Amino acid sequence: MNGHLSSRPSRTAHLSVRLLLSTAVAGLALAGCRGNKSAEPPVHPNLNMDFQQNYKPQEENAWFSDKRAVRALPAGAVAQDRDRSDVELNSGRGADGRLLNGLPASVKLDDALLARGEERFGIYCSPCHEKSGYGHGIIVQRGLKVPPPSFHEARLQAMPLGYFFDVITHGKGTMKPYASQVPVADRWAIAAWLRVLQVSQRAQIADIPDASREQLLRGTP
Amino acid sequence: MAQIFPRWTNKIPLMVGVGAPVALCGVVFVVWYYFSPRFTDVGYQPKQPVPFSHKLHAGQMGLDCRYCHSTVERSSFAAIPPNATCMNCHANLDLGERQKRVQPVIDSYEGKKSLEWVKVHMLPDYAYFNHSVHLNAGVGCSSCHGRIDQMDVVYQAEPLSMSWCLDCHRNPEPNLRPHDQVTNMAWSAADADAYDAAKDPNRKRKFDAELVSPGMPRTPEHLNPPISNCSGCHR
C-alpha cells in the first residue's frame, strides 16, 4: 500500500516536469528567434516613459480629421528664421528685376562651391538630367513622359545663371519646383555646376591651362 | 501512527535544490533573450499603405537617400518625404498596370486623404537622437539601418538599444566614413579598414581616438560622442 502510494506522486511529478518542459519548448518555439520579421508592433516589456504626451514631427494626432499633429501652414507663411533681405540671393534677380547673369554678390565662386554643386546635382538632378546634363537619366529611361532637354542645346547655353536658379526654385513646364528639397545656397551651387557642365562640353584645347593641357594630352594623371 | 509526510517528500529538498536554479536560469535566459530589443524590435516590418520599394527606388534606380529624406543632414529628424516628392516623378509617369499601386499617393496629393506611413524605427521618447550630428560626423545610414537598398519593405535591422548606441560611441572609428560616402549602401568592412579617419583632411569634425573616452576634455573641433554623460542622450 505504502509502496503504491509513494510511486504515484513521483510519476505525476515526472509527468508535470515533462509537461512543463514541453510547454517551455513550445513557448520558445512560438516566440521565435531574434531578428524574425514581424508586422506586429514591438512589445515594450517595461513601458517606463516610452510614450510621452508630446508630439514628434510627423506623428499622428487623432484629434484632427487628417490626423496630422503638424498642421499645414497658412498660405503665404514665411519661416521666421528665413532672412529674405538679400534679394539677389533669394530670387535670382537683380534690383532691376532681371535674372542675374552670374552669382549673387554674397556667394563666392570657389572649389568648395563647385564640389558642393556637383554632389547636389548628383543627388537631385541626375536621376532625370543625367550626370553629364544630356538628359537621359534613369527615370527618363524608365518612362518619364516628357524627357528633359539637354543642357548643351544653344537655347540653354545662352541662359543667364539666374535662370537655372529660377527653374530649380519654381520648376518649369512638367518639372516640379525643388525649393522644398534644396536650400537656397545649394541651388546656387547646383546652378554653378550646371554652367560648368555646359562649358565643359564646348571647351577647346586652348581653354585648358598650360600645366593641365600637357597632362591631358599625355592621357595619364 | 500514519506518517504525515509520505516517503516521496524526502526528495523535495533535492528537487528544489536542482529545480530552482534551473528554473532561475530559465527565467534569466528568457528575459535576456526575449526582453532584449534584439528580439522585441529587430525585424519589425510593418505593412505600409503604399507598396513603396526602397529596393526599386534606391537600389535599382540608384536614387540617393537625400533625394527623399532631404532634411537628414540638416535636422535631427530624417523625415518621411511629402507626397510632393513622389509626385516630382509620378506626376509624369504612367506605369500602366501597376499605376494603381501608386494611386494612393496621387489621391493623397490631390487632398483626398493623408497617407499614413507606419513608423519603423522608434526610440523611446526619453531618448534624444539627432541625424544631422551623426551624418556630419561621417556615420553612414547603413551602419544604423542596414541595407535599406535591398529591402522591398523596410524593417528594423539594428536593436537601437542603449548598449548598441554606446558600443559605437565608445569606439566610433570602424563606423566612420568620408563625407561623400554616407549614403553609400555598399560601403563594406574592407572599405572601412582602408579608411583612416584620423588622417582625413576633409573631415568636418576631426577624429582622435584618444579623445573619445569618458572624462577626456571636450574640444569643439573633435568628435566627442556622449558616453558617460547621460544627459547627452537623456536630455
Side-chain angles (χ1 to χ4, degrees):
Chain A
M1 201 53 191
N2 220 346
H4 185 65
L5 253 185
S6 68
S7 80
R8 219 172 73 209
S10 92
R11 204 183 317 132
T12 356
H14 274 303
L15 263 179
S16 54
V17 164
R18 245 183 264 161
L19 203 73
L20 207 79
L21 274 179
S22 45
T23 32
V25 168
L28 296 192
L30 277 179
C33 297
R34 285 183 174 179
N36 278 0
K37 305 279 184 340
S38 161
E40 297 302 317
V43 176
H44 294 239
N46 177 359
L47 264 180
N48 289 327
M49 302 199 292
D50 287 10
F51 302 100
Q52 299 172 14
Q53 299 240 328
N54 54 30
Y55 291 101
K56 292 194 169 175
Q58 297 187 324
E59 220 174 285
E60 172 179 337
N61 181 344
W63 176 262
F64 297 107
S65 60
D66 63 2
K67 299 202 185 160
R68 299 198 303 184
V70 179
R71 309 308 304 151
L73 295 176
V78 176
Q80 193 189 8
D81 59 350
R82 274 276 269 114
D83 176 5
R84 305 216 168 196
S85 55
D86 188 337
V87 177
E88 287 191 350
L89 182 74
N90 285 295
S91 70
R93 288 170 192 273
D96 53 359
R98 290 168 60 92
L99 290 167
L100 289 183
N101 195 10
L103 289 169
S106 53
V107 180
K108 206 163 110 283
L109 178 63
D110 55 13
D111 286 348
L113 183 83
L114 295 182
R116 178 81 181 170
E118 180 176 12
E119 185 196 39
R120 297 292 126 171
F121 185 89
I123 297 171
Y124 295 105
C125 318
S126 71
C128 298
H129 288 280
E130 199 183 345
K131 284 222 157 121
S132 62
Y134 281 100
H136 308 294
I138 179 83
I139 306 300
V140 181
Q141 296 167 32
R142 297 267 181 153
L144 197 69
K145 281 188 228 152
V146 182
S150 160
F151 292 149
H152 310 300
E153 66 182 37
R155 179 179 65 89
L156 288 175
Q157 291 232 4
M159 285 296 181
L161 198 67
Y163 180 70
F164 303 135
F165 178 89
D166 196 69
V167 172
I168 304 174
T169 311
H170 301 295
K172 171 86 192 180
T174 57
M175 179 181 142
K176 304 261 181 195
Y178 279 74
S180 66
Q181 279 156 281
V182 188
V184 170
D186 284 347
R187 284 178 231 162
W188 283 111
I190 292 176
W193 180 252
L194 214 158
R195 184 66 94 208
V196 169
L197 287 178
Q198 292 184 326
V199 172
S200 75
Q201 295 305 302
R202 56 179 168 181
Q204 300 295 316
I205 195 77
D207 297 337
I208 296 168
D210 289 340
S212 316
R213 190 182 321 142
E214 234 173 76
Q215 182 198 330
L216 187 75
L217 290 175
R218 243 186 301 126
T220 48
Chain B
M1 197 180 88
Q3 286 156 341
I4 299 176
F5 295 108
R7 203 183 179 94
W8 63 268
T9 54
N10 287 342
K11 291 201 187 126
I12 286 181
L14 185 73
M15 274 156 69
V16 170
V18 174
V22 169
L24 201 71
C25 288
V27 171
V28 169
F29 170 79
V30 165
V31 171
W32 169 78
Y33 191 88
Y34 289 105
F35 283 24
S36 154
R38 286 185 192 280
F39 176 75
T40 57
D41 294 19
V42 172
Y44 177 40
Q45 187 178 36
K47 195 174 171 330
Q48 302 289 353
V50 180
F52 170 76
S53 163
H54 279 82
K55 190 173 166 189
L56 174 64
H57 288 82
Q60 293 169 17
M61 299 198 291
L63 291 182
D64 192 284
C65 315
R66 291 164 288 188
Y67 184 93
C68 290
H69 304 289
S70 58
T71 59
V72 71
E73 292 170 307
R74 289 182 266 142
S75 97
S76 64
F77 193 66
I80 303 304
N83 298 327
T85 303
C86 312
M87 295 305 281
N88 282 347
C89 297
H90 283 285
N92 295 314
L93 282 169
D94 187 354
L95 302 184
E97 278 280 280
R98 294 179 298 152
Q99 187 64 12
K100 63 176 184 303
R101 293 162 73 91
V102 199
Q103 201 57 42
V105 183
I106 298 169
D107 289 347
S108 171
Y109 182 70
E110 287 165 355
K112 286 190 192 133
K113 186 172 176 295
S114 26
L115 276 184
E116 295 174 27
W117 298 107
V118 184
K119 192 153 168 35
V120 186
H121 301 78
M122 188 129 69
L123 289 180
D125 285 354
Y126 54 76
Y128 169 81
F129 181 79
N130 187 326
H131 273 96
S132 67
V133 169
H134 289 89
L135 286 175
N136 288 321
V139 181
C141 316
S142 60
S143 302
C144 301
H145 293 299
R147 289 301 296 266
I148 294 276
D149 64 328
Q150 296 176 353
M151 301 180 193
D152 271 321
V153 182
V154 178
Y155 59 85
Q156 181 170 331
E158 299 288 343
L160 307 190
S161 62
M162 177 162 149
S163 71
W164 175 80
C165 307
L166 291 178
D167 281 346
C168 176
H169 282 194
R170 291 203 184 96
N171 178 22
E173 189 168 13
N175 291 304
L176 298 180
R177 317 177 178 186
H179 291 303
D180 56 2
Q181 299 294 324
V182 286
T183 55
N184 178 359
M185 292 285 118
W187 180 261
S188 66
D191 293 329
D193 285 344
Y195 172 68
D196 186 351
K199 297 216 181 78
D200 181 355
N202 297 324
R203 287 193 71 81
K204 291 183 211 157
R205 308 267 293 154
K206 289 208 221 78
F207 174 71
D208 182 344
E210 294 268 295
L211 293 181
V212 183
S213 50
M216 288 305 284
R218 281 181 163 259
T219 69
E221 67 271 12
H222 282 87
L223 286 186
N224 198 339
I227 301 168
S228 55
N229 46 331
C230 319
S231 59
C233 303
H234 303 294
R235 35 177 96 179

